[in-house]
Amino acid sequence: MIVIMEAHASDEEVAGVLDRVESLGFRAHPSAGSERTVIGVIGDERPVESELFEALPGVERVVRVLHPFKLASRDFHPADRVITLPNGAQLGGPKVLVMAGPCAVESREQLKATAEAVAAVGVRVLRGGAFKPRTSPYSFQGLGEKGLLLLREVADDLDLAVVTEVVTPEDVPLVARHAEILQVGARNMANYSLLRAVGDAGRPVILKRGLGATVDELLQAAEYVLAQGNPSVAVCERGIRTFETSTRFTLDINAVPVLKHLTSLPVVVDPSHATGRADLVGPVACAGVAAGADGLLVEVHANPQEARSDAAQALHPDQFAALMIRLARVAVAVGRQSA
Ligand code: PEP
Ligand code: MN
């Protein structure tokens, strides 16, 4: 349930509603918008009587949210949410934020060459996996903490923010010390203890859609992070599993406008994992931006043939530079700007 305060409700009136929520044993999630404060009331399955709040001073109206996700819904937070990073880059603002880098951090040389190339064409956020959730236990699993240190060192030299995946709740504090954005991978979308841990980490989170998860399940997973008090969550469409085998996964392009309708969280598209093929990354990235994505996650490798993971989908820096030019045109065509 959502309590919508009057436009000129006083701080005391807001506090009065918060007290009532707490005294009933529910949790209050206030959100102060530019015009009015909205208070999300989250509890157990008990029905909350709206009369308990309607009569309080300063309350305009009480709205029941029918979606299973509450804090993630546009009803609760109508305005687009914007995540601002320490280097000033924004996810969810007027610019489409392109996050790029290798699938995995392999070495200082590899990371530096790739990061310099993407930074030179306007990228502000470096991606790279230090902890890799691989389908096979025999595949390269990432450099772990050493990879995090390399990401930090290389990113700092270029004034880039870092987005990197965290795979276990125990690693969250370590990864949060080195990265501006914590990524929860598709294989962990429904790992609820990990979602709670990233919710407590005080860092923005990019939550990827599970290979077989519905949009509704993705938003309920985002709700876990939001319910911990972390409002900085973006959701990522990275392809789902279908009967189609010509690509690695199938990008559910519908999910982009569907998500934009249901939630005000920023929406990211990952054309690299969705297609698994470097030649398809560009067109699908453009489609994502045309459909309304706020950001892209793109795999780039200074030397794609030598990549230790996901080599077939890695763009060479020259291909990536050409893509950035096309993306800027698409972004402008749909009323956005590109990084
Ligand atoms: C990744 O982005 O490095 C990754 C492993 O992606 P996903 O979780 O979408 O498979
Ligand atoms: Mn990858």
Side-chain angles (χ1 to χ4, degrees), residues 98 117-118 120-123 278 281-283 285-286 298 300 315-330 338:
V98 182
V118 299
V121 291
V123 166
V281 167
C286 290
V298 182
V300 181
L315 294 188
H316 182 275
D318 294 343
Q319 293 172 304
F320 180 70
L323 173 59
M324 285 297 274
I325 294 168
R326 286 170 63 202
L327 284 174
R329 295 198 192 114
V330 176
S338 174

Side-chain angles (χ1 to χ4, degrees), residues 46-100:
R46 269 183 296 156
V48 191
E49 294 298 332
S50 49
E51 298 86 70
L52 291 167
F53 299 97
E54 268 158 0
L56 293 178
V59 171
E60 186 185 282
R61 70 200 143 95
V62 175
V63 177
R64 211 165 269 289
V65 181
L66 298 173
H67 303 297
F69 44 90
K70 312 284 180 202
L71 304 174
S73 73
R74 246 196 216 279
D75 303 338
F76 171 62
H77 197 291
D80 283 342
R81 297 189 194 236
V82 181
I83 298 174
T84 302
L85 301 171
N87 68 356
Q90 287 188 326
L91 179 54
K95 283 188 178 178
V96 174
L97 185 72
V98 182
M99 298 168 273

